[in-house]
């Protein structure tokens, strides 16, 4: 789908964690980044982003919890947290 150029934006949700856990090979993810058409924006989410992917990225952000309802004992809700 990435190589097709059919989409301007593709989000690979939690791919970084999948790579970290060896569920997806790092070299395959790098290949997707390198071989994509220039008009295709890729967003890779998840913790533990590999340094090689970070080095290739145009933008890297890290979200950090400041306050969360879990801290008050409120459990995860279907459709919101999962």
């Amino acid at each position: 789908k990435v190589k097709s150029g059919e989409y301007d934006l593709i989000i690979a949700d939690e791919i970084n964690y999948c790579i970290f856990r060896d569920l997806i090979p790092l070299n395959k993810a790098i290949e997707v980044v390198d071989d994509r058409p220039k008009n295709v924006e890729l967003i890779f989410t998840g913790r533990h982003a590999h340094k090689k992917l970070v080095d290739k990225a145009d933008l890297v952000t890290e979200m950090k919890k400041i306050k969360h309802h879990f801290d008050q004992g409120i459990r995860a809700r279907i459709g919101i947290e999962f």
Side-chain angles (χ1 to χ4, degrees):
K1 293 293 180 178
V2 174
K3 286 183 181 181
S4 76
E6 183 179 352
Y7 303 99
D8 296 327
L9 174 68
I10 295 179
I11 301 170
D13 195 30
E14 294 297 334
I15 193 170
N16 288 323
Y17 187 71
C18 292
I19 294 165
F20 174 74
R21 299 288 301 190
D22 294 323
L23 301 172
I24 297 172
L26 173 62
N27 66 325
K28 288 292 187 184
I30 290 172
E31 184 179 306
V32 168
V33 172
D34 290 342
D35 293 345
R36 77 187 191 287
K38 293 302 172 194
N39 67 307
V40 175
E41 294 287 335
L42 291 175
I43 297 176
F44 286 3
T45 71
R47 296 181 187 181
H48 309 292
H50 195 282
K51 181 175 178 355
K52 288 183 179 181
L53 285 173
V54 170
D55 290 345
K56 288 189 165 290
D58 295 322
L59 172 67
V60 177
T61 58
E62 181 178 343
M63 293 181 66
K64 177 180 161 186
K65 176 188 76 103
I66 304 299
K67 180 179 179 180
H68 199 286
H69 57 269
F70 288 173
D71 298 334
Q72 286 82 44
I74 298 171
R75 298 181 62 160
R77 300 161 293 173
I78 296 173
I80 305 296
E81 284 80 28
F82 67 95

